[in-house]
Amino acid sequence: MDLLEYQGKQLFARHGVPVPEGRPASTVEEAVNAADEIGYPCVIKAQVQIGGRGKAGGIKVAKDRPEAEQHAKAILGMDIRGLTVHELWVEGASEIASEYYASVVFDRSAKAPLVLLSTKGGMDIEQVADEDPTAIARLHVDPLLGFQDFHGRRLAFEAGVDEDVVRPVGAMLSKLYDVFVSEDATLVEVNPLIITPAREVRALDAKVTLDDNALYRHPDNAALRDLSSEDPQERMARERDLIYVKLDGDVGILGNGAGLVMSTLDVVAEAGGSPANFLDAGGGSKAEAITSAVEVILSNPNVKAVLFNIFGGITRCDEVARGLIEAFDQISPQVPFVVRLDGTNDKEGRALLAEANLPNVHTESTMDDAARKVVELAAAA
């Protein structure tokens, strides 16, 4: 779950990370009142879960009340790379002597947190990594040992930060690591991490991604979810306890078990098709779950054909067939379906489908044949 900047900063503040004073606002009036309370100059920032806000005109400095009102009116409702701005963050303007980059991310390949630090803050870290990889100091942290003071000093020296802020920067990294661990985050990023003329270290930005699977441990964080920014199909699937990821293609995919679904995506791609989603209905899928899955898949207008690939183990193929029959009865799909049933009660499942004689439903006995058929049907749609 990605947080907005101001939500990330509020999370930071709970862990003692210094951030500029600010107020959230969802209307022009709220933004102007917040600016009056904070004082001028102040910064009006668009709150969307995407980078490049400044380049798109979503971050403006206001030196007085009329400018604050002007910027708030211009930014609210703005489209930034496909996302509409519904909220603002108004904070006091900061004096900046240096801009650094700092982050803590979970490195899945190393199975450990990775702490990054660079003196080239304020720019895309991907660009820095491409142009000068040595400009980024890196350190994997043993989860059992945790982030120690000497880790911070080592990273600061390796990154080449100013000597007088080596310890304060190290202390900041320690606090960011505390946020990462305590809040069950997968990413904590500050770009830029600023050094003020008074040599104070502050987080001028906040990009935080929380692990959805751990939200039950953090009810306060669960309430921060921004439903308006989420994909409607993925939100629908989550509400129905389905594991769904939207993709860019036109072939809807449903299987039982993550491994089988991944294999199905690969086979469809090899057959020349483009999957529209990953959907794992799970083991022991009942008719009701299958009906819900069909509704989620067909809520994507890009889907031109759907492939059901079921291997019956815990899941019974006759239950899947009943679910599909029920789904057709309730929502009358307008796209073709290809169904491959194999395993527990597969003969019974195929018999049920044959008896129901559902319109535009095709059965295949192998995964390869099913993939070729669904790609053919999608291309003809």
Side-chain angles (χ1 to χ4, degrees):
M1 183 178 80
D2 295 325
L3 301 186
L4 296 169
E5 173 196 358
Y6 81 88
Q7 295 171 330
K9 285 182 173 176
Q10 290 172 344
L11 207 64
F12 284 179
R14 295 211 304 254
H15 292 268
V17 176
V19 295
E21 180 186 5
R23 306 276 191 282
S26 56
T27 66
V28 173
E29 182 181 3
E30 288 178 359
V32 173
N33 290 338
D36 288 341
E37 291 177 15
I38 292 169
Y40 300 95
C42 65
V43 185
I44 314 293
K45 292 185 172 185
Q47 295 299 287
V48 287
Q49 295 170 347
I50 201 166
R53 293 174 298 162
K55 295 177 182 177
I59 299 177
K60 297 290 185 180
V61 177
K63 66 177 184 295
D64 52 33
R65 184 184 177 91
E67 280 198 358
E69 183 176 4
Q70 175 188 345
H71 295 327
K73 285 181 179 178
I75 296 174
L76 273 173
M78 175 185 290
D79 182 278
I80 299 180
R81 295 170 61 185
L83 296 179
T84 302
V85 179
H86 299 292
E87 294 182 87
L88 302 173
W89 175 246
V90 183
E91 72 178 18
S94 298
E95 295 184 2
I96 302 173
S98 303
E99 292 185 336
Y100 297 161
Y101 169 92
S103 69
V104 186
V105 61
F106 184 71
D107 185 345
R108 297 185 184 279
S109 61
K111 300 179 182 179
L114 174 63
V115 183
L116 304 175
L117 179 66
S118 175
T119 56
K120 294 189 176 182
M123 59 187 295
D124 293 335
I125 196 63
E126 293 84 0
Q127 181 181 347
V128 175
D130 289 339
E131 296 177 355
D132 186 9
T134 61
I136 306 173
R138 299 170 171 84
L139 175 71
H140 284 100
V141 179
D142 183 336
L144 297 179
L145 178 63
F147 193 86
Q148 303 295 316
D149 290 344
F150 71 88
H151 288 146
R153 293 193 296 272
R154 171 183 159 182
L155 283 165
F157 280 120
E158 288 184 0
V161 307
D162 295 337
E163 292 184 2
D164 62 325
V165 292
V166 166
R167 290 183 179 276
V169 167
M172 172 65 83
L173 293 176
S174 180
K175 291 176 180 178
L176 294 177
Y177 185 83
D178 180 49
V179 174
F180 180 85
V181 173
S182 300
E183 303 295 341
D184 285 305
T186 57
L187 171 68
V188 171
E189 181 180 83
V190 180
N191 189 21
L193 179 72
I194 66 167
I195 309 299
T196 70
R199 313 312 285 168
E200 296 175 339
V201 183
R202 290 184 187 171
L204 198 60
D205 193 14
K207 183 176 181 180
V208 177
T209 301
L210 301 176
D211 184 353
D212 286 11
N213 296 315
L215 287 179
Y216 71 93
R217 289 199 289 258
H218 307 279
D220 292 343
N221 292 346
L224 299 176
R225 186 183 294 277
D226 181 13
L227 297 179
S228 65
S229 68
E230 294 186 359
D231 180 87
Q233 278 85 41
E234 293 187 352
R235 184 168 67 248
M236 182 192 301
R238 187 178 60 254
E239 290 170 352
R240 300 177 183 207
D241 293 324
L242 297 170
I243 302 173
Y244 175 92
V245 178
K246 187 175 181 180
L247 303 173
D248 297 329
D250 57 8
V251 177
I253 305 289
L254 179 143
N256 59 313
L260 180 62
V261 180
M262 291 296 292
S263 299
T264 307
L265 265 63
D266 290 340
V267 173
V268 168
E270 288 177 1
S274 180
N277 65 269
F278 171 105
L279 197 156
D280 175 12
S285 298
K286 300 296 183 182
E288 183 180 353
I290 297 299
T291 303
S292 292
V294 171
E295 290 176 343
V296 170
I297 291 173
L298 295 184
S299 67
N300 179 356
N302 295 330
V303 171
K304 296 179 180 178
V306 178
L307 171 58
F308 268 44
N309 188 17
I310 303 297
F311 182 78
I314 300 174
T315 302
R316 287 169 40 192
C317 292
D318 58 329
E319 282 283 354
V320 173
R322 289 191 183 92
L324 188 57
I325 293 168
E326 186 176 326
F328 267 66
D329 183 56
Q330 292 182 13
I331 59 182
S332 301
Q334 301 300 307
V335 302
F337 278 64
V338 177
V339 181
R340 179 250 182 174
L341 301 176
D342 190 16
T344 305
N345 291 1
D346 55 355
K347 292 180 180 179
E348 292 84 347
R350 286 192 290 271
L352 285 170
L353 291 177
E355 181 181 349
N357 194 27
L358 300 176
N360 219 359
V361 172
H362 310 263
T363 58
E364 296 289 345
S365 57
T366 71
M367 188 159 61
D368 287 338
D369 289 342
R372 283 191 287 267
K373 185 65 175 180
V374 79
V375 170
E376 174 188 325
L377 292 169

